Amino acid sequence: MRERVLQKKCTTHLNQLGIYFNNNHGDSWGSRGTPDVTCCINGKYVAFEFKVDDNKLEPAQIIHKKRIEQNGGLHFEIRTFEDFVDTVRRL
């Protein structure tokens, strides 16, 4: 499964649950390494980065992850739809 397909399935799930989210499309106007999706779940700032196969976080993505966590937010690297559903359920 491609990252884009995984991301679409996950944002559809968030939409069905009525969870506010922002789908951050990477382009020349955005900040490099910004998480794929940011949302608010039960009053918590949550960021999701979608990866498939053996893809790893890029250095700029690691910087964003650290900054989010240092400021009390949550950051998750999601590899499967099942992992995503379980993570959202726990939150």
Side-chain angles (χ1 to χ4, degrees), residues 22-73:
N22 185 32
N23 201 348
N24 304 308
H25 299 284
D27 59 26
S28 61
W29 296 101
S31 178
R32 186 171 180 86
T34 302
D36 294 323
V37 171
T38 52
C39 57
C40 184
I41 301 177
N42 293 322
K44 298 178 183 128
Y45 179 89
V46 183
F48 294 104
E49 186 64 47
F50 299 100
K51 297 291 180 188
V52 295
D53 301 325
D54 60 351
N55 292 350
K56 296 185 179 359
L57 291 176
E58 297 174 12
Q61 293 171 326
I62 293 169
I63 290 169
H64 278 277
K65 174 180 173 43
K66 288 178 181 176
R67 292 182 68 197
I68 289 166
E69 292 172 344
Q70 286 171 346
N71 285 281

